[in-house]
Amino acid sequence: MRFGWVLAGALLLVACGQKEGAAPGAVAGAAGPAGPAGPVAAAPAGPSLDYAALSGYDVSTWFLSPGWPGEYPPGFAVLDPDVKVPARARPNPTDPQDVSCLLPQFANYQIWNAARTADDQLEYFVATKKVPVTVLEDTEIEFVGDAGIETLALKKGDVLTYLRYIGEGFTVLSFNGREFDINEGELSNVTDIGSTALEEDLWVRVACMGGSQGWLLFDEVIEEKGVYPSPITGYGDAADILPGDVDAVRDAIATDAYGVSATDQEIIPPSEE
């Protein structure tokens, strides 16, 4: 499970230049997040799965949605041969890891890697623990609605529900039965969102070599031997690893030569800086 980083990271992004009123990205995995060059297509959209029925998460306390969040969604790449990882038949962390899954070498499981997603029929979704966000003073919050930028009037003591992070500083919250895409910068000084701890599970269904399938939880699989953070070389750009690049990618990640250690950041090889 991933804790706490989304709210702090999004608020930092807003403080460092998120344009007020900028349109948010779509939920990753549908139309793709908006970015420096506009919307980026993620995985081809397919029939929507019933994540609640599939996983067994309690939807009264968890929000389930397709894709993985973040301006640069995390991912993982298989650099070594014969990498066999424990997986689950059902995407629920309380279930045993009852599937042994052999992953293909050079595969890069990142939501922008459309070729891998299509070939293996990958399915990404995120389960986010619902969190109450309390309004500290009477205020009006701008949000992106059907008519463009609209205003939501809130009173001190009102409680919104945090549902998930999208990207570019925007998040999804609900209030009075309606969902809103809101720039977190609008909330930072008038709610307690900055002190809210976030819990989320990032799941992907993969095709194992031999024909079976299994569900992998990002925070678990990234710790497996032979599995490394996805080396994203540009916004919206991801592909399987070329065999000749394996050693360079492994060495660069080990020495932090890309200049970042987080897996949801843009990674630019030193030769391209």
Side-chain angles (χ1 to χ4, degrees), residues 65-104:
S65 55
W68 286 3
E71 294 77 39
Y72 294 88
F76 59 94
V78 181
L79 300 189
D80 295 350
D82 303 318
V83 172
K84 185 177 290 187
V85 300
R88 292 178 174 85
R90 189 178 76 148
N92 191 301
T94 64
D95 283 8
Q97 293 173 305
D98 52 357
V99 176
S100 181
C101 186
L102 180 63
L103 298 176

mmCIF file of all heavy atoms in Angstrom, residues 65-104:
data_model
loop_
_atom_site.group_PDB
_atom_site.id
_atom_site.type_symbol
_atom_site.label_atom_id
_atom_site.label_comp_id
_atom_site.label_asym_id
_atom_site.label_seq_id
_atom_site.Cartn_x
_atom_site.Cartn_y
_atom_site.Cartn_z
ATOM 1 N N SER A 65 -11.067 2.732 -9.244
ATOM 2 C CA SER A 65 -11.142 3.403 -10.546
ATOM 3 C C SER A 65 -10.012 2.928 -11.445
ATOM 4 O O SER A 65 -8.962 2.472 -10.957
ATOM 5 C CB SER A 65 -11.077 4.920 -10.360
ATOM 6 O OG SER A 65 -9.926 5.301 -9.623
ATOM 7 N N PRO A 66 -10.203 3.016 -12.767
ATOM 8 C CA PRO A 66 -9.196 2.505 -13.698
ATOM 9 C C PRO A 66 -7.951 3.378 -13.739
ATOM 10 O O PRO A 66 -7.985 4.568 -13.438
ATOM 11 C CB PRO A 66 -9.928 2.523 -15.045
ATOM 12 C CG PRO A 66 -10.961 3.588 -14.903
ATOM 13 C CD PRO A 66 -11.399 3.530 -13.467
ATOM 14 N N GLY A 67 -6.852 2.767 -14.138
ATOM 15 C CA GLY A 67 -5.603 3.495 -14.318
ATOM 16 C C GLY A 67 -4.828 3.665 -13.031
ATOM 17 O O GLY A 67 -5.262 3.250 -11.958
ATOM 18 N N TRP A 68 -3.635 4.238 -13.157
ATOM 19 C CA TRP A 68 -2.815 4.599 -12.004
ATOM 20 C C TRP A 68 -2.620 6.100 -12.000
ATOM 21 O O TRP A 68 -2.477 6.710 -13.075
ATOM 22 C CB TRP A 68 -1.461 3.892 -12.071
ATOM 23 C CG TRP A 68 -1.525 2.432 -11.741
ATOM 24 C CD1 TRP A 68 -2.639 1.694 -11.463
ATOM 25 C CD2 TRP A 68 -0.416 1.528 -11.659
ATOM 26 N NE1 TRP A 68 -2.300 0.392 -11.205
ATOM 27 C CE2 TRP A 68 -0.933 0.262 -11.322
ATOM 28 C CE3 TRP A 68 0.951 1.672 -11.840
ATOM 29 C CZ2 TRP A 68 -0.126 -0.855 -11.166
ATOM 30 C CZ3 TRP A 68 1.767 0.567 -11.684
ATOM 31 C CH2 TRP A 68 1.237 -0.694 -11.345
ATOM 32 N N PRO A 69 -2.630 6.726 -10.817
ATOM 33 C CA PRO A 69 -2.579 8.187 -10.749
ATOM 34 C C PRO A 69 -1.161 8.739 -10.884
ATOM 35 O O PRO A 69 -0.178 8.007 -10.785
ATOM 36 C CB PRO A 69 -3.135 8.475 -9.349
ATOM 37 C CG PRO A 69 -2.718 7.272 -8.543
ATOM 38 C CD PRO A 69 -2.806 6.108 -9.491
ATOM 39 N N GLY A 70 -1.102 10.052 -11.105
ATOM 40 C CA GLY A 70 0.171 10.749 -11.115
ATOM 41 C C GLY A 70 0.472 11.406 -12.438
ATOM 42 O O GLY A 70 0.009 10.961 -13.496
ATOM 43 N N GLU A 71 1.236 12.503 -12.383
ATOM 44 C CA GLU A 71 1.669 13.153 -13.613
ATOM 45 C C GLU A 71 2.529 12.192 -14.428
ATOM 46 O O GLU A 71 2.453 12.131 -15.650
ATOM 47 C CB GLU A 71 2.470 14.425 -13.304
ATOM 48 C CG GLU A 71 1.672 15.537 -12.653
ATOM 49 C CD GLU A 71 1.423 15.280 -11.170
ATOM 50 O OE1 GLU A 71 2.344 14.769 -10.486
ATOM 51 O OE2 GLU A 71 0.316 15.564 -10.696
ATOM 52 N N TYR A 72 3.382 11.452 -13.733
ATOM 53 C CA TYR A 72 4.201 10.398 -14.323
ATOM 54 C C TYR A 72 3.898 9.117 -13.554
ATOM 55 O O TYR A 72 4.562 8.817 -12.556
ATOM 56 C CB TYR A 72 5.690 10.763 -14.246
ATOM 57 C CG TYR A 72 6.035 11.952 -15.096
ATOM 58 C CD1 TYR A 72 5.926 13.248 -14.593
ATOM 59 C CD2 TYR A 72 6.445 11.798 -16.421
ATOM 60 C CE1 TYR A 72 6.213 14.349 -15.380
ATOM 61 C CE2 TYR A 72 6.739 12.893 -17.217
ATOM 62 C CZ TYR A 72 6.625 14.161 -16.688
ATOM 63 O OH TYR A 72 6.914 15.249 -17.469
ATOM 64 N N PRO A 73 2.879 8.369 -13.981
ATOM 65 C CA PRO A 73 2.485 7.187 -13.212
ATOM 66 C C PRO A 73 3.650 6.209 -13.058
ATOM 67 O O PRO A 73 4.467 6.047 -13.971
ATOM 68 C CB PRO A 73 1.363 6.583 -14.077
ATOM 69 C CG PRO A 73 0.845 7.723 -14.889
ATOM 70 C CD PRO A 73 2.032 8.575 -15.167
ATOM 71 N N PRO A 74 3.745 5.560 -11.914
ATOM 72 C CA PRO A 74 4.825 4.597 -11.706
ATOM 73 C C PRO A 74 4.643 3.365 -12.577
ATOM 74 O O PRO A 74 3.595 3.147 -13.187
ATOM 75 C CB PRO A 74 4.699 4.260 -10.221
ATOM 76 C CG PRO A 74 3.260 4.485 -9.914
ATOM 77 C CD PRO A 74 2.852 5.655 -10.754
ATOM 78 N N GLY A 75 5.671 2.576 -12.621
ATOM 79 C CA GLY A 75 5.631 1.325 -13.365
ATOM 80 C C GLY A 75 6.832 0.493 -12.975
ATOM 81 O O GLY A 75 7.661 0.902 -12.159
ATOM 82 N N PHE A 76 6.939 -0.696 -13.565
ATOM 83 C CA PHE A 76 8.078 -1.560 -13.262
ATOM 84 C C PHE A 76 8.483 -2.321 -14.515
ATOM 85 O O PHE A 76 7.657 -2.646 -15.367
ATOM 86 C CB PHE A 76 7.758 -2.513 -12.109
ATOM 87 C CG PHE A 76 6.580 -3.428 -12.352
ATOM 88 C CD1 PHE A 76 6.757 -4.705 -12.865
ATOM 89 C CD2 PHE A 76 5.286 -3.006 -12.055
ATOM 90 C CE1 PHE A 76 5.666 -5.545 -13.081
ATOM 91 C CE2 PHE A 76 4.187 -3.838 -12.275
ATOM 92 C CZ PHE A 76 4.380 -5.105 -12.788
ATOM 93 N N ALA A 77 9.790 -2.568 -14.614
ATOM 94 C CA ALA A 77 10.336 -3.263 -15.779
ATOM 95 C C ALA A 77 11.086 -4.508 -15.314
ATOM 96 O O ALA A 77 11.712 -4.518 -14.252
ATOM 97 C CB ALA A 77 11.270 -2.341 -16.556
ATOM 98 N N VAL A 78 11.023 -5.549 -16.143
ATOM 99 C CA VAL A 78 11.698 -6.815 -15.837
ATOM 100 C C VAL A 78 13.013 -6.838 -16.621
ATOM 101 O O VAL A 78 13.010 -6.992 -17.843
ATOM 102 C CB VAL A 78 10.813 -8.016 -16.233
ATOM 103 C CG1 VAL A 78 11.513 -9.325 -15.890
ATOM 104 C CG2 VAL A 78 9.457 -7.927 -15.545
ATOM 105 N N LEU A 79 14.116 -6.683 -15.923
ATOM 106 C CA LEU A 79 15.421 -6.600 -16.590
ATOM 107 C C LEU A 79 16.170 -7.924 -16.615
ATOM 108 O O LEU A 79 17.044 -8.121 -17.458
ATOM 109 C CB LEU A 79 16.284 -5.529 -15.918
ATOM 110 C CG LEU A 79 15.728 -4.099 -15.914
ATOM 111 C CD1 LEU A 79 16.781 -3.136 -15.411
ATOM 112 C CD2 LEU A 79 15.231 -3.690 -17.302
ATOM 113 N N ASP A 80 15.847 -8.821 -15.704
ATOM 114 C CA ASP A 80 16.575 -10.090 -15.612
ATOM 115 C C ASP A 80 15.775 -11.215 -16.246
ATOM 116 O O ASP A 80 14.538 -11.149 -16.331
ATOM 117 C CB ASP A 80 16.852 -10.436 -14.150
ATOM 118 C CG ASP A 80 17.798 -9.444 -13.490
ATOM 119 O OD1 ASP A 80 18.382 -8.615 -14.214
ATOM 120 O OD2 ASP A 80 17.930 -9.495 -12.252
ATOM 121 N N PRO A 81 16.443 -12.285 -16.672
ATOM 122 C CA PRO A 81 15.717 -13.453 -17.182
ATOM 123 C C PRO A 81 15.141 -14.271 -16.033
ATOM 124 O O PRO A 81 15.597 -14.193 -14.886
ATOM 125 C CB PRO A 81 16.799 -14.234 -17.924
ATOM 126 C CG PRO A 81 18.077 -13.871 -17.218
ATOM 127 C CD PRO A 81 17.911 -12.442 -16.784
ATOM 128 N N ASP A 82 14.130 -15.067 -16.345
ATOM 129 C CA ASP A 82 13.556 -16.035 -15.394
ATOM 130 C C ASP A 82 13.074 -15.382 -14.106
ATOM 131 O O ASP A 82 13.285 -15.903 -13.000
ATOM 132 C CB ASP A 82 14.574 -17.130 -15.070
ATOM 133 C CG ASP A 82 15.074 -17.866 -16.305
ATOM 134 O OD1 ASP A 82 14.234 -18.168 -17.177
ATOM 135 O OD2 ASP A 82 16.293 -18.109 -16.413
ATOM 136 N N VAL A 83 12.421 -14.245 -14.239
ATOM 137 C CA VAL A 83 11.873 -13.563 -13.063
ATOM 138 C C VAL A 83 10.473 -14.116 -12.796
ATOM 139 O O VAL A 83 9.547 -13.912 -13.583
ATOM 140 C CB VAL A 83 11.825 -12.042 -13.260
ATOM 141 C CG1 VAL A 83 11.068 -11.376 -12.103
ATOM 142 C CG2 VAL A 83 13.231 -11.484 -13.371
ATOM 143 N N LYS A 84 10.343 -14.814 -11.677
ATOM 144 C CA LYS A 84 9.056 -15.388 -11.269
ATOM 145 C C LYS A 84 8.613 -14.675 -9.999
ATOM 146 O O LYS A 84 9.345 -14.615 -9.020
ATOM 147 C CB LYS A 84 9.183 -16.887 -11.035
ATOM 148 C CG LYS A 84 7.866 -17.583 -10.735
ATOM 149 C CD LYS A 84 8.066 -19.091 -10.595
ATOM 150 C CE LYS A 84 8.394 -19.722 -11.925
ATOM 151 N NZ LYS A 84 8.423 -21.228 -11.822
ATOM 152 N N VAL A 85 7.417 -14.094 -10.039
ATOM 153 C CA VAL A 85 6.943 -13.291 -8.910
ATOM 154 C C VAL A 85 5.643 -13.869 -8.362
ATOM 155 O O VAL A 85 4.859 -14.482 -9.095
ATOM 156 C CB VAL A 85 6.724 -11.817 -9.329
ATOM 157 C CG1 VAL A 85 8.021 -11.202 -9.829
ATOM 158 C CG2 VAL A 85 5.630 -11.700 -10.389
ATOM 159 N N PRO A 86 5.385 -13.685 -7.068
ATOM 160 C CA PRO A 86 4.105 -14.119 -6.497
ATOM 161 C C PRO A 86 2.997 -13.144 -6.884
ATOM 162 O O PRO A 86 3.171 -11.927 -6.813
ATOM 163 C CB PRO A 86 4.364 -14.096 -4.990
ATOM 164 C CG PRO A 86 5.462 -13.101 -4.805
ATOM 165 C CD PRO A 86 6.309 -13.158 -6.042
ATOM 166 N N ALA A 87 1.880 -13.686 -7.310
ATOM 167 C CA ALA A 87 0.731 -12.880 -7.729
ATOM 168 C C ALA A 87 -0.524 -13.428 -7.062
ATOM 169 O O ALA A 87 -0.472 -14.388 -6.288
ATOM 170 C CB ALA A 87 0.602 -12.901 -9.249
ATOM 171 N N ARG A 88 -1.641 -12.796 -7.362
ATOM 172 C CA ARG A 88 -2.923 -13.221 -6.784
ATOM 173 C C ARG A 88 -3.936 -13.484 -7.884
ATOM 174 O O ARG A 88 -3.930 -12.826 -8.931
ATOM 175 C CB ARG A 88 -3.472 -12.144 -5.839
ATOM 176 C CG ARG A 88 -2.654 -11.952 -4.563
ATOM 177 C CD ARG A 88 -3.240 -10.828 -3.721
ATOM 178 N NE ARG A 88 -2.583 -10.688 -2.414
ATOM 179 C CZ ARG A 88 -1.468 -9.996 -2.202
ATOM 180 N NH1 ARG A 88 -0.892 -9.372 -3.230
ATOM 181 N NH2 ARG A 88 -0.940 -9.921 -0.998
ATOM 182 N N ALA A 89 -4.833 -14.430 -7.609
ATOM 183 C CA ALA A 89 -5.945 -14.676 -8.527
ATOM 184 C C ALA A 89 -6.974 -13.567 -8.429
ATOM 185 O O ALA A 89 -7.695 -13.278 -9.392
ATOM 186 C CB ALA A 89 -6.588 -16.026 -8.223
ATOM 187 N N ARG A 90 -7.049 -12.911 -7.249
ATOM 188 C CA ARG A 90 -7.982 -11.814 -7.026
ATOM 189 C C ARG A 90 -7.207 -10.617 -6.490
ATOM 190 O O ARG A 90 -6.361 -10.764 -5.597
ATOM 191 C CB ARG A 90 -9.056 -12.233 -6.018
ATOM 192 C CG ARG A 90 -10.198 -11.229 -5.874
ATOM 193 C CD ARG A 90 -11.255 -11.723 -4.907
ATOM 194 N NE ARG A 90 -10.830 -11.603 -3.509
ATOM 195 C CZ ARG A 90 -11.659 -11.364 -2.496
ATOM 196 N NH1 ARG A 90 -12.965 -11.239 -2.715
ATOM 197 N NH2 ARG A 90 -11.202 -11.281 -1.261
ATOM 198 N N PRO A 91 -7.473 -9.396 -7.013
ATOM 199 C CA PRO A 91 -6.722 -8.229 -6.568
ATOM 200 C C PRO A 91 -7.206 -7.686 -5.224
ATOM 201 O O PRO A 91 -7.898 -6.658 -5.155
ATOM 202 C CB PRO A 91 -6.953 -7.212 -7.699
ATOM 203 C CG PRO A 91 -8.309 -7.550 -8.222
ATOM 204 C CD PRO A 91 -8.400 -9.052 -8.118
ATOM 205 N N ASN A 92 -6.824 -8.382 -4.183
ATOM 206 C CA ASN A 92 -7.160 -7.934 -2.834
ATOM 207 C C ASN A 92 -5.975 -8.268 -1.929
ATOM 208 O O ASN A 92 -5.549 -9.432 -1.888
ATOM 209 C CB ASN A 92 -8.433 -8.627 -2.331
ATOM 210 C CG ASN A 92 -8.972 -8.001 -1.061
ATOM 211 O OD1 ASN A 92 -8.283 -7.949 -0.046
ATOM 212 N ND2 ASN A 92 -10.214 -7.535 -1.103
ATOM 213 N N PRO A 93 -5.425 -7.296 -1.219
ATOM 214 C CA PRO A 93 -4.213 -7.554 -0.428
ATOM 215 C C PRO A 93 -4.411 -8.536 0.710
ATOM 216 O O PRO A 93 -3.426 -9.056 1.247
ATOM 217 C CB PRO A 93 -3.830 -6.166 0.096
ATOM 218 C CG PRO A 93 -5.092 -5.364 0.057
ATOM 219 C CD PRO A 93 -5.860 -5.886 -1.113
ATOM 220 N N THR A 94 -5.655 -8.799 1.088
ATOM 221 C CA THR A 94 -5.901 -9.768 2.158
ATOM 222 C C THR A 94 -5.875 -11.205 1.642
ATOM 223 O O THR A 94 -5.826 -12.148 2.442
ATOM 224 C CB THR A 94 -7.253 -9.504 2.833
ATOM 225 O OG1 THR A 94 -8.305 -9.695 1.886
ATOM 226 C CG2 THR A 94 -7.321 -8.078 3.383
ATOM 227 N N ASP A 95 -5.919 -11.391 0.321
ATOM 228 C CA ASP A 95 -5.868 -12.726 -0.265
ATOM 229 C C ASP A 95 -4.428 -13.238 -0.286
ATOM 230 O O ASP A 95 -3.480 -12.461 -0.348
ATOM 231 C CB ASP A 95 -6.397 -12.693 -1.700
ATOM 232 C CG ASP A 95 -7.906 -12.611 -1.759
ATOM 233 O OD1 ASP A 95 -8.538 -12.429 -0.699
ATOM 234 O OD2 ASP A 95 -8.462 -12.723 -2.872
ATOM 235 N N PRO A 96 -4.245 -14.551 -0.263
ATOM 236 C CA PRO A 96 -2.889 -15.099 -0.373
ATOM 237 C C PRO A 96 -2.343 -14.902 -1.787
ATOM 238 O O PRO A 96 -3.105 -14.798 -2.751
ATOM 239 C CB PRO A 96 -3.092 -16.586 -0.067
ATOM 240 C CG PRO A 96 -4.514 -16.855 -0.461
ATOM 241 C CD PRO A 96 -5.273 -15.603 -0.125
ATOM 242 N N GLN A 97 -1.022 -14.850 -1.890
ATOM 243 C CA GLN A 97 -0.377 -14.791 -3.200
ATOM 244 C C GLN A 97 -0.320 -16.220 -3.733
ATOM 245 O O GLN A 97 0.653 -16.945 -3.551
ATOM 246 C CB GLN A 97 1.013 -14.167 -3.069
ATOM 247 C CG GLN A 97 0.976 -12.695 -2.672
ATOM 248 C CD GLN A 97 2.355 -12.130 -2.390
ATOM 249 O OE1 GLN A 97 3.084 -12.672 -1.566
ATOM 250 N NE2 GLN A 97 2.708 -11.047 -3.064
ATOM 251 N N ASP A 98 -1.392 -16.597 -4.406
ATOM 252 C CA ASP A 98 -1.598 -17.992 -4.775
ATOM 253 C C ASP A 98 -1.277 -18.295 -6.230
ATOM 254 O O ASP A 98 -1.587 -19.377 -6.728
ATOM 255 C CB ASP A 98 -3.042 -18.397 -4.466
ATOM 256 C CG ASP A 98 -4.070 -17.439 -5.063
ATOM 257 O OD1 ASP A 98 -3.664 -16.424 -5.675
ATOM 258 O OD2 ASP A 98 -5.278 -17.680 -4.897
ATOM 259 N N VAL A 99 -0.651 -17.355 -6.922
ATOM 260 C CA VAL A 99 -0.279 -17.550 -8.322
ATOM 261 C C VAL A 99 1.219 -17.289 -8.449
ATOM 262 O O VAL A 99 1.715 -16.262 -7.986
ATOM 263 C CB VAL A 99 -1.046 -16.595 -9.254
ATOM 264 C CG1 VAL A 99 -0.564 -16.744 -10.698
ATOM 265 C CG2 VAL A 99 -2.548 -16.841 -9.167
ATOM 266 N N SER A 100 1.938 -18.227 -9.073
ATOM 267 C CA SER A 100 3.346 -18.032 -9.378
ATOM 268 C C SER A 100 3.440 -17.596 -10.833
ATOM 269 O O SER A 100 3.027 -18.331 -11.734
ATOM 270 C CB SER A 100 4.141 -19.322 -9.152
ATOM 271 O OG SER A 100 5.503 -19.119 -9.433
ATOM 272 N N CYS A 101 3.952 -16.389 -11.058
ATOM 273 C CA CYS A 101 3.864 -15.775 -12.384
ATOM 274 C C CYS A 101 5.253 -15.501 -12.946
ATOM 275 O O CYS A 101 6.021 -14.698 -12.392
ATOM 276 C CB CYS A 101 3.069 -14.468 -12.278
ATOM 277 S SG CYS A 101 2.722 -13.685 -13.869
ATOM 278 N N LEU A 102 5.596 -16.166 -14.030
ATOM 279 C CA LEU A 102 6.852 -15.940 -14.731
ATOM 280 C C LEU A 102 6.646 -14.795 -15.709
ATOM 281 O O LEU A 102 5.788 -14.863 -16.596
ATOM 282 C CB LEU A 102 7.281 -17.210 -15.463
ATOM 283 C CG LEU A 102 8.594 -17.141 -16.255
ATOM 284 C CD1 LEU A 102 9.775 -16.879 -15.326
ATOM 285 C CD2 LEU A 102 8.801 -18.424 -17.066
ATOM 286 N N LEU A 103 7.426 -13.727 -15.537
ATOM 287 C CA LEU A 103 7.278 -12.531 -16.359
ATOM 288 C C LEU A 103 8.308 -12.517 -17.481
ATOM 289 O O LEU A 103 9.454 -12.944 -17.289
ATOM 290 C CB LEU A 103 7.431 -11.270 -15.502
ATOM 291 C CG LEU A 103 6.402 -11.078 -14.393
ATOM 292 C CD1 LEU A 103 6.741 -9.837 -13.562
ATOM 293 C CD2 LEU A 103 4.995 -10.965 -14.963
ATOM 294 N N PRO A 104 7.932 -12.007 -18.653
ATOM 295 C CA PRO A 104 8.886 -11.956 -19.767
ATOM 296 C C PRO A 104 9.974 -10.912 -19.542
ATOM 297 O O PRO A 104 9.695 -9.802 -19.090
ATOM 298 C CB PRO A 104 7.999 -11.581 -20.962
ATOM 299 C CG PRO A 104 6.821 -10.883 -20.373
ATOM 300 C CD PRO A 104 6.592 -11.516 -19.029
#
